[in-house]
């Protein structure tokens, strides 16, 4: 759970209501406020930073009572909830925002970063008020601390992709444990949160991996093969061909064409009516959460 001042805490399920009653939140995006700068750019800030940002000349968006919507020609606007249907009927589409469990959703995931292209992907996610999950390599985290921190601050999830992109199925339990805990600590050191999920490099896992990891393993249901085609158009085509409600989509933020594809992929999915959520949000809505010792490749 999250405090209004940005602190995070793992809370037992039975205590969630108690924390909620004293102002803690279950989802980080509940403490993030959309604001505009004077040029109309959206900035999203923690609620406790909002008064300072107001002093600096930022203004609140219409926020809680509205949804961010987009038109094909690139305009965006906050629309009151009651008018969302009307805008949809004339081909506007909704951005991300608060999770509605009754609506279709997919989880975009990016592996192997953080890298130099990750920031531009975050720009797209932030623009459309959408979220993704980044399965990071521990060794790269300290090279891009600001990127990891920024991802968390806009509601994205950080997952664990081992320290050195190791093939965990060939390691001992102690080695598996070290690969994952080193990465968890690296993420904590820069972003103040511990990853809750891991993705085994090469999708390679066995019983020893699942037992030693002490975290749920996350696979995927849509393999874009972006690492192979290195082509933004083909990556988008692959998403169009295979995505359905509950999909977990695999891409890699270490490749420039994947970053180039980000905006078209995000726009396409939002236009199809999908909410772009983190893996934890997807599994929480669709599977009642993710259990240690198990692997998940979709939310359907
Ligand atoms: Ni990988």
């Amino acid at each position: 759970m999250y405090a209004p001042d940005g602190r995070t805490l793992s809370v037992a399920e039975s205590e969630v209501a108690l924390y909620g009653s004293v102002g803690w939140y279950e989802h980080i995006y509940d403490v993030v406020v959309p604001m505009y700068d004077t040029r109309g750019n959206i900035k999203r800030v923690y609620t406790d930073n909002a008064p300072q940002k107001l002093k600096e000349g930022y203004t609140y968006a219409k926020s809680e009572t509205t949804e961010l919507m987009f038109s094909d020609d690139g305009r965006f606007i906050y629309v009151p909830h009651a008018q969302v249907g009307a805008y949809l009927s004339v081909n506007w589409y909704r951005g991300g925002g608060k999770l509605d469990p009754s609506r279709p959703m997919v989880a975009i995931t990016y592996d192997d970063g953080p890298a130099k292209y990750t920031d531009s992907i975050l720009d797209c996610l932030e623009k459309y008020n959408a979220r993704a999950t980044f399965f990071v390599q521990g060794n790269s985290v300290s090279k891009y601390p600001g990127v990891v921190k920024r991802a968390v601050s806009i509601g994205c999830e950080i997952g664990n992709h081992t320290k050195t992109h190791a093939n965990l199925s060939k390691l001992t339990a102690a080695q598996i444990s070290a690969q994952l805990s080193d990465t968890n600590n690296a993420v904590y050191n820069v972003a103040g949160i511990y990853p809750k999920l891991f993705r085994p490099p090469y999708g390679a896992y066995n019983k020893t991996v699942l037992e030693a990891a002490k975290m749920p393993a996350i696979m995927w249901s849509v393999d874009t093969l972006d690492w192979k085609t290195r082509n933004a158009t083909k990556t988008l085509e692959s998403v169009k061909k295979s995505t359905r409600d509950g999909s977990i989509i695999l891409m890699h933020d270490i490749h420039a064409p994947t970053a180039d594809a980000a905006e078209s992929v995000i726009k396409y999915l939002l236009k199809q009516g999908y909410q772009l959520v983190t893996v934890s949000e997807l599994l929480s809505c669709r599977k009642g959460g993710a259990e240690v010792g198990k692997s998940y490749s979709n939310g359907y």
Side-chain angles (χ1 to χ4, degrees):
M1 295 190 77
Y2 302 88
D5 60 6
R7 280 173 298 153
T8 63
L9 191 68
S10 289
V11 173
E13 205 66 57
S14 57
E15 292 180 0
V16 166
L18 177 65
Y19 274 85
S21 73
V22 291
W24 284 66
Y25 300 86
E26 282 190 73
H27 302 291
I28 195 164
Y29 44 90
D30 285 340
V31 292
V32 175
V33 182
M35 300 180 86
Y36 288 111
D37 68 14
T38 48
R39 290 181 302 167
N41 298 316
I42 300 175
K43 304 283 174 187
R44 301 177 76 210
V45 299
Y46 283 115
T47 49
D48 72 318
N49 291 334
Q52 182 58 38
K53 292 287 177 192
L54 279 170
K55 271 187 220 159
E56 290 169 10
Y58 291 78
T59 53
Y60 275 108
K62 290 168 201 163
S63 76
E64 299 295 312
T65 58
T66 59
E67 278 196 43
L68 184 59
M69 297 192 76
F70 298 87
S71 67
D72 263 338
D73 58 10
R75 282 172 297 154
F76 59 85
I77 187 173
Y78 277 90
V79 174
H81 283 303
Q83 291 176 25
V84 166
Y87 275 84
L88 287 173
S89 73
V90 291
N91 289 326
W92 282 63
Y93 54 103
R94 345 155 91 116
K98 286 203 177 184
L99 181 51
D100 179 350
S102 68
R103 283 180 50 216
M105 62 185 77
V106 298
I108 293 176
T109 66
Y110 289 102
D111 284 12
D112 299 352
K116 61 178 173 180
Y117 309 113
T118 312
D119 233 2
S120 74
I121 293 172
L122 293 177
D123 288 342
C124 292
L125 290 164
E126 187 169 20
K127 178 177 174 187
Y128 291 95
N129 215 11
R131 300 181 290 285
T133 302
F134 293 85
F135 288 96
V136 300
Q137 293 191 61
N139 271 351
S140 301
V141 166
S142 59
K143 295 177 200 158
Y144 299 93
V147 171
V148 177
K149 212 173 165 177
R150 181 184 174 206
V152 171
S153 78
I154 64 171
C156 289
E157 179 165 21
I158 305 297
N160 188 322
H161 199 46
T162 77
K163 185 182 184 186
T164 62
H165 207 265
N167 183 336
L168 296 178
S169 68
K170 295 186 171 168
L171 300 185
T172 65
Q175 289 170 323
I176 294 162
S177 182
Q179 278 280 342
L180 294 173
S181 60
D182 285 357
T183 304
N184 283 345
N185 290 333
V187 171
Y188 183 81
N189 287 338
V190 302
I193 54 105
Y194 287 108
K196 294 182 195 127
L197 312 169
F198 83 105
R199 172 170 282 159
Y202 317 104
Y205 68 91
N206 54 28
K207 203 162 168 271
T208 309
V209 173
L210 289 182
E211 280 170 8
K214 307 233 172 0
M215 308 166 92
I218 305 301
M219 307 298 280
W220 55 88
S221 59
V222 176
D223 190 351
T224 61
L225 296 177
D226 63 327
W227 58 274
K228 201 171 174 183
T229 62
R230 309 276 181 102
N231 179 305
T233 307
K234 286 188 174 159
T235 298
L236 175 63
E237 277 169 12
S238 172
V239 167
K240 286 185 177 176
K241 196 175 149 209
S242 309
T243 302
R244 52 174 279 198
D245 184 18
S247 289
I248 297 177
I249 301 169
L250 172 63
M251 291 183 282
H252 299 79
D253 52 329
I254 51 169
H255 301 303
T258 299
D260 293 341
E263 181 151 18
S264 61
V265 166
I266 290 166
K267 278 181 79 168
Y268 168 77
L269 292 170
L270 289 173
K271 211 162 182 183
Q272 297 304 302
Y274 294 117
Q275 301 174 92
L276 301 184
V277 301
T278 66
V279 172
S280 282
E281 288 170 337
L282 176 71
L283 295 178
S284 163
C285 283
R286 296 295 170 77
K287 304 275 184 185
E291 284 177 40
V292 171
K294 289 191 175 172
S295 77
Y296 299 85
S297 57
N298 60 62
Y300 45 80

